[in-house]
């Protein structure tokens, strides 16, 4: 069954300037631009994109916090505009900005939320223990949240998001600003939650690895539009070239030049970049050609320190589609804001 169904969804915002009447080119901001996608029951689905791509706005519409300008969306079978209350009963949300009560303990935060969703006292107690266990937070349940680290707060928020047995859980940037170790830990909880509680999860992220590791399908967003949507592996398969990196030791310039010239004559090498002691080649089917590449480097006298090749990442997919890395796009968004 379809857990989320989005058809031609658009959201425009009016510029907020106090001088808007005086500004001639007073155009609306199109935060979400005619997007359509659907998420099946039990999927972990990501909206991946740089700052300002429209991820949070989409999520706010799907969780009934914003009304769309046009288009339709159904969550757990209900329309997000005309059946708002029914949608709210079926979902859990973890916002991009933390919304825990710092003056309460972890357990109290969970209990308060469970009361709001009408869980009985017995059910609240049972469920609190269950969700605390799932995110590995039993030890800290009775500590004030103001004393928690960023990672602990995020884990508690995720626990709170699903304490009332939602069918669909929305996670807005679940690991934003956390270190790599904590991020990985949260990924395991999200996977476990999806498998053990059979919850459909839609998350937004601008971390490439997060989308790649966690999600069955990914929609890449930019400027309010979905520019690609598929399973991570299939998206990566669309990028034809693999990346081969050769790191060499001290070699005479003429030897390096000669090696580069020989590489450039190979029809399966599409691009060559040299930076100091590193040569990067974009190679079609590197697995078939890696032996020949190493042999050429060896014959031409290059002192090879290491050779490795990797399949394209979702970052390479983003570059192929937009011409720049996701981080550059983020920086230029920040500069334009
Ligand atoms: N309430 C609002 N009023 C006016 N413009 C808004 C409003 N909310 C969002 N926007 C604009 O809509 C665009 C999309 O914003 P959104 O927050 O959805 O992006 P995002 O992909 O979640 O970005 P981030 O990764 O930074 O969280 C941005 O240009 C933003 O400035
Ligand atoms: Mg956002």
């Amino acid at each position: 069954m379809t857990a989320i169904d989005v058809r031609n969804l658009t959201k425009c915002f009016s510029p907020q300037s106090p001088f808007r009447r005086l500004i001639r080119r007073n155009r609306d901001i199109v935060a979400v631009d005619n997007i359509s996608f659907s998420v099946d029951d039990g999927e972990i689905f990501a909206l991946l994109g740089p700052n300002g791509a429209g991820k949070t706005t989409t999520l706010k519409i799907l969780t009934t916090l914003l009304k769309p300008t046009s288009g339709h969306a159904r969550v757990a079978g209900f329309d997000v505009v005309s059946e708002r209350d029914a949608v709210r009963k079926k979902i859990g949300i973890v916002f991009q900005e933390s919304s825990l009560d710092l003056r309460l303990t972890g357990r109290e935060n969970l209990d308060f939320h469970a009361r709001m969703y009408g869980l009985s006292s017995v059910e609240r107690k049972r469920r609190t223990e269950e969700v605390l266990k799932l995110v590995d937070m039993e030890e800290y349940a009775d500590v004030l949240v103001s004393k928690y680290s960023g990672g602990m707060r995020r884990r508690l928020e995720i626990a709170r998001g699903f304490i009332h047995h939602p069918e669909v859980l929305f996670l807005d940037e679940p690991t934003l600003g956390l270190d790599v170790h904590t991020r990985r830990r949260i990924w395991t909880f999200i996977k476990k939650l999806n498998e053990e509680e059979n919850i459909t999860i839609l998350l937004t992220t601008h971390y490439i690895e997060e989308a790649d590791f966690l999600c069955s399908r990914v929609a890449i967003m930019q400027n309010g539009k979905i520019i690609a949507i598929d399973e991570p592996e299939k998206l990566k398969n669309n990028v034809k070239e693999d990346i081969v990196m050769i790191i060499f030791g001290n070699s005479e310039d003429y030897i390096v030049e000669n090696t580069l010239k020989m590489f450039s004559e190979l029809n399966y090498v599409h691009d060559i970049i040299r930076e100091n002691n590193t040569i990067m080649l974009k190679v079609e089917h590197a697995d078939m050609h890696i032996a020949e590449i190493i042999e050429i480097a060896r014959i031409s006298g290059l002192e090879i320190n290491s050779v490795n090749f990797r399949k394209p990442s979702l970052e390479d997919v983003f570059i192929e589609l937009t011409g720049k890395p996701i981080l550059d796009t983020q920086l230029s968004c920040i500069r334009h804001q």
Side-chain angles (χ1 to χ4, degrees):
M1 230 190 81
T2 307
I4 302 171
D5 191 36
V6 175
R7 294 288 136 222
N8 305 106
L9 204 67
T10 296
K11 179 67 188 179
C12 304
F13 291 110
S14 306
Q16 296 295 312
S17 164
F19 305 112
R20 49 188 291 205
R21 283 162 195 275
L22 303 175
I23 302 170
R24 259 204 239 135
R25 285 197 296 122
N26 185 17
R27 270 193 257 137
D28 279 357
I29 299 159
V30 187
V32 177
D33 193 356
N34 195 23
I35 62 168
S36 300
F37 65 93
S38 60
V39 180
D40 287 336
D41 271 340
E43 264 197 280
I44 305 183
F45 185 93
L47 297 176
L48 169 71
N51 291 131
K55 307 179 298 289
T56 297
T57 307
T58 306
L59 194 129
K60 282 188 177 163
I61 297 171
L62 297 179
T63 53
T64 77
L65 300 172
L66 271 181
K67 278 193 182 159
T69 308
S70 60
H72 299 277
R74 298 183 83 78
V75 173
F78 298 102
D79 187 277
V80 295
V81 178
S82 63
E83 296 168 300
R84 209 176 70 158
D85 292 347
V87 171
R88 288 185 176 188
K89 282 190 189 132
K90 299 279 183 186
I91 62 173
I93 316 171
V94 176
F95 296 104
Q96 186 165 343
E97 311 292 339
S98 173
S99 63
L100 292 168
D101 193 329
L102 303 184
R103 296 158 304 176
L104 301 180
T105 64
R107 191 188 302 281
E108 286 164 347
N109 265 282
L110 295 176
D111 189 70
F112 182 70
H113 185 85
R115 272 173 200 263
M116 302 242 288
Y117 274 88
L119 269 65
S120 71
S121 150
V122 177
E123 173 68 353
R124 280 203 310 273
K125 279 210 175 70
R126 192 188 62 77
R127 192 61 181 150
T128 300
E129 293 314 316
E130 217 167 75
V131 298
L132 281 169
K133 186 160 186 271
L134 205 140
V135 296
D136 214 357
M137 287 287 292
E138 299 130 298
E139 217 183 303
Y140 312 101
D142 297 309
V143 175
L144 284 180
V145 170
S146 58
K147 304 232 158 59
Y148 282 11
S149 68
M152 286 157 74
R153 288 182 194 186
R154 219 53 188 148
R155 270 148 65 196
L156 187 75
E157 282 203 286
I158 293 173
R160 190 182 62 172
F162 70 88
I163 195 167
H164 56 287
H165 296 289
E167 280 181 29
V168 186
L169 179 63
F170 292 91
L171 303 173
D172 200 359
E173 303 278 358
T175 64
L176 186 66
L178 302 177
D179 63 62
V180 181
H181 174 72
T182 314
R183 195 178 299 160
R184 287 195 172 271
R185 201 149 172 230
I186 288 184
W187 293 350
T188 25
F189 297 132
I190 295 176
K191 273 232 188 247
K192 214 159 112 185
L193 178 61
N194 169 255
E195 282 158 17
E196 289 182 13
E197 304 241 341
N198 196 28
I199 301 181
T200 307
I201 297 175
L202 183 143
L203 62 90
T204 76
T205 186
H206 56 257
Y207 293 125
I208 301 272
E209 326 83 68
E210 185 157 290
D212 200 358
F213 179 83
L214 273 180
C215 299
S216 47
R217 281 186 313 134
V218 176
I220 301 181
M221 283 189 85
Q222 199 201 18
N223 298 331
K225 293 192 171 66
I226 291 180
I227 55 174
I229 182 165
D230 215 327
E231 294 163 26
E233 281 316 305
K234 288 192 182 154
L235 285 170
K236 288 184 266 180
N237 284 343
N238 288 338
V239 181
K240 288 185 197 70
E241 294 113 349
D242 303 325
I243 315 292
V244 175
M245 296 262 272
I246 302 171
I247 299 176
F248 55 90
N250 285 335
S251 300
E252 301 278 353
D253 266 355
Y254 78 93
I255 293 180
V256 181
E257 291 305 323
N258 188 36
T259 316
L260 295 179
K261 185 168 174 296
M262 288 167 83
F263 285 153
S264 70
E265 284 162 7
L266 301 168
N267 60 4
Y268 53 78
V269 174
H270 292 185
D271 203 3
I272 303 172
I273 299 161
R274 178 195 167 181
E275 215 176 296
N276 303 324
N277 279 26
T278 304
I279 299 172
M280 195 179 97
L281 308 173
K282 282 192 175 177
V283 178
E284 222 176 299
H285 301 300
D287 44 353
M288 285 161 62
H289 301 297
I290 191 79
E292 189 175 19
I293 288 170
I294 296 171
E295 186 61 10
I296 288 171
R298 209 185 52 76
I299 290 171
S300 62
L302 198 72
E303 190 192 310
I304 303 172
N305 281 352
S306 71
V307 179
N308 66 61
F309 78 93
R310 62 175 173 85
K311 291 279 164 199
S313 66
L314 282 181
E315 177 82 43
D316 299 311
V317 176
F318 192 84
I319 295 171
E320 179 108 337
L321 291 167
T322 66
K324 45 191 162 191
I326 201 162
L327 190 65
D328 281 8
T329 317
Q330 258 152 227
L331 292 175
S332 69
C333 278
I334 291 163
R335 278 196 289 270
H336 283 115
Q337 270 171 8

